[in-house]
Structure formats: C-alpha cells, structure tokens
Amino acid sequence: MTLTETNYLPGIPAPAEAGDARPCAACQPSSPCPQPPVGAARKTSCDVTVERLPHSLPRRLPVRQILCLLPLALVAVVAVQHRSVLAEGFGYLASAKWPWLLAAAAATCMTWVAASVTRQGALVQKLPKRRLLATQFAAGAANHLLPTGLGASAVNLRFMTVCGVPLARSSSALALYLLAESVARVGLLLGLLIAFPDALRVGGLLPDGAVGPLLLTVGAVVLVAVTVLLLVRRVRTAVFSFLRTALGEARSVHTRPVRALALWGGSFSFPVFQAAGLAAVGQALGLPVPPLHIAVAYLAATVAVALVPTPGGIGSVEAALIVALVAAGGPAALATAVVLAYRIITVWLPLLPGALTLGALVRLKMI
C-alpha cells in the first residue's frame, strides 16, 4: 500500500504532500477577529473587555429650555389672576377713538427706544443696537413679572455681561441708568408742578394720617441701612468699592458728549413718552382733563409707587393713577376706564410678545 493510499483516522490532518507550501493547521497563526459587515450590529472585540455603564445615570437638567418657557408660564399666571381687569379694559378699548389709541401705542413703542438710548448712554462700551432694542422689549415683559424692577435689571445686567462688559462696570452702568431716570422723572414732576400749580390737588393723593407713618418708615429704613454700613466691615468695603467704580464710570460717560446726551436725553424722553401715552388714552375716552395735567398726574403717581414691591406695579400703579387723575379733576368712573385701557396698551398687549422675545434671547444665548 502506497503512501497515498494510506487510510488516516478521522480528525487527524494528513501530512503535507511534496510541493505543498501550505502549513498545517497546527502551525497556522491565529486569525484576527472577523470584521463585522457594513450595517451589522456592533460586537465586542475578543481582545477588549467592555464595562457597561449603569442605566440609572442622572440626565442633565435642561436649564436653558426651562428658562425659555418660564416667562410664558408667568404670563399665564398673571393673566389668570387679573382676568377681570383684562376683560374690563378691553371693553373700554372697544368704545375708544382709535386714532388716539394708535398714538398711545406709538408712544409706548418709543419708550423702548428711549430706554435703549439711555442704556447705551450709561456705558462707555458700545453695545449692538438691534440686540439692545430687543433686550429692552424683553426686559419690559420681565419687569412686569418680577417685583420692583428686578426683572428688567437682571435682563440688562445679563445682556451686558454676555456682550463682554465686566460685572463691576455693568453694575455701575445699571446704577447710573436708574439714578438718571429717577432724577429726570422727579425733575419733570417738579418743573410741571411749578409751571402748573393747580394741575393736581396733592392733598388728595395720600389718605389722612398716612404722612406720619410713611415718614417713619422711610426714616427707619435709612437708619438701618446706615447702621449696617457702619458696623459691618465687609458690607462697607463692598459699597465703597462699588461707589468708586460707579463714580469712575460716570466721569468717563460725561467726558464723552455723545454718551452724556444719550444718557440724559433718553432719561427725560422715557417718562415723557409714558405720560404722552396716558394723555392719548385720556383723549380717546374723552377724559375732561388737560393733557399736561394728565402728565403731572402720571408722574406723581409713578413717583409715589416707585417703592411698592409689586410685579411691574400691577395693581399699585392702577390705583395710584386713578387717584391722581381724580385729583387732577377727572370723574372717578372715567378715570378708572382711562387707566385700565392705558395699562392694556402698555402692559398686557406687549406682555406675551415680550415674553416670547425673552425666551428667544435666552435660547440664542444673547442673555
């Protein structure tokens, strides 16, 4: 029996024949792991040990998405709380003269322009104009959702920070804006009272016996602030440091005529446009009060409620305006109609688009 005719046991490889260069199976190197075909499911490599992550890892909280929706939720809450005021105000608008209402709407739009000019005038660094105007529109909505102007201040502070303004300078610009706007408002009120001394019966603005408690409250607040400033060293250091920065920023602004003109021009224009809007609504509803007397009443009412901690002055501003218009000689029922219609135009109609603008600015990381 020849070699080629030998029977081999199954499972035992036959020896290589002459001229066969292929090595035997035992001598072949171990083949690498086969690659998965395109589109196949991923498989674990035979040389790598994979540790699977636990399925209970906490997901990242979508803070920015929540902040985008928060203004809309607040608008809904405030609208539900004041639904009777909204219904009554829209009822008065239906019977008003539309040309005067359009003039009131135009004056309201100009308040955002005046606020933008004042914000830029309070800061040496140049801000993007379109984003600045959009921020003032959004800040108006935020101002009506948070108490004592905190909403507008927070939005503008964040906007300046995103624009690259250091926190100390942006805070100083914010303080300078508030100071200039307050000085302009009080200055206009005093000037109009001197020019028209009979425009307002000031005694009717405050209830009997309210002057004493008001003065005591103001004195107590001032005393507590001075005591804390003198006794707490950390607070005193922070306040003095802020004052140095604010004074330096104010000097820098006033050395530039363009910035100074924008600061004070916008500060005086802002309350003028607001008062003009109220006077236009008064003309639309036939309020028998001269427009300049309505302006005096508006300035007096807004100065009186400046320290009332309500969101955007909602509630307190209406009451003060009604009292001021009655003190200026208007009938109580008609004064109430004028104030409600005015607040519909200046607060409630821009509130929803302002909240949407605020959410868009947050989502685009502009504030």
Side-chain angles (χ1 to χ4, degrees), residues 27-64:
C27 300
Q28 290 180 356
S30 59
S31 61
C33 295
Q35 297 296 325
V38 177
R42 296 182 179 178
K43 296 182 179 180
T44 305
S45 174
C46 56
D47 297 332
V48 179
T49 302
V50 177
E51 295 183 2
R52 296 185 179 274
L53 296 175
H55 296 285
S56 60
L57 284 177
R59 294 184 178 181
R60 186 179 179 183
L61 188 65
V63 178
R64 190 165 292 274

Side-chain angles (χ1 to χ4, degrees), residues 27-220:
C27 300
Q28 290 180 356
S30 59
S31 61
C33 295
Q35 297 296 325
V38 177
R42 296 182 179 178
K43 296 182 179 180
T44 305
S45 174
C46 56
D47 297 332
V48 179
T49 302
V50 177
E51 295 183 2
R52 296 185 179 274
L53 296 175
H55 296 285
S56 60
L57 284 177
R59 294 184 178 181
R60 186 179 179 183
L61 188 65
V63 178
R64 190 165 292 274
Q65 285 76 6
I66 295 175
L67 291 177
C68 293
L69 298 176
L70 183 60
L72 298 179
L74 291 177
V75 168
V77 171
V78 174
V80 170
Q81 291 177 346
H82 300 84
R83 56 186 179 275
S84 59
V85 176
L86 287 172
E88 191 174 359
F90 278 110
Y92 290 129
L93 287 177
S95 60
K97 300 176 182 178
W98 285 99
W100 286 109
L101 293 182
L102 292 177
T108 301
C109 294
M110 290 304 298
T111 59
W112 302 319
V113 177
S116 301
V117 172
T118 311
R119 298 284 183 185
Q120 179 60 86
L123 187 67
V124 175
Q125 180 176 336
K126 189 175 182 180
L127 299 173
K129 296 180 181 180
R130 294 181 181 178
R131 289 169 54 187
L132 178 60
L133 182 59
T135 301
Q136 301 318 302
F137 182 56
N143 198 42
H144 296 305
L145 300 176
L146 295 176
T148 61
L150 293 178
S153 300
V155 169
N156 281 283
L157 191 64
R158 177 61 183 168
F159 170 69
M160 288 185 285
T161 302
V162 171
C163 290
V165 182
L167 182 59
R169 293 180 59 189
S170 58
S171 302
S172 301
L174 182 62
L176 183 58
Y177 168 85
L178 295 175
L179 177 61
E181 202 273 335
S182 301
V183 170
R185 190 178 295 269
V186 175
L188 283 173
L189 175 61
L190 294 177
L192 288 175
L193 285 176
I194 293 173
F196 306 96
D198 299 331
L200 201 65
R201 296 189 296 270
V202 182
L205 293 178
L206 294 175
D208 296 336
V211 177
L214 180 61
L215 293 178
L216 288 177
T217 303
V218 173

Side-chain angles (χ1 to χ4, degrees), residues 185 274 297-307 317 320-321:
R185 190 178 295 269
Q274 288 181 322
Y298 173 81
L299 293 172
T302 52
V303 169
V305 301
L307 298 178
V317 169
L321 284 175

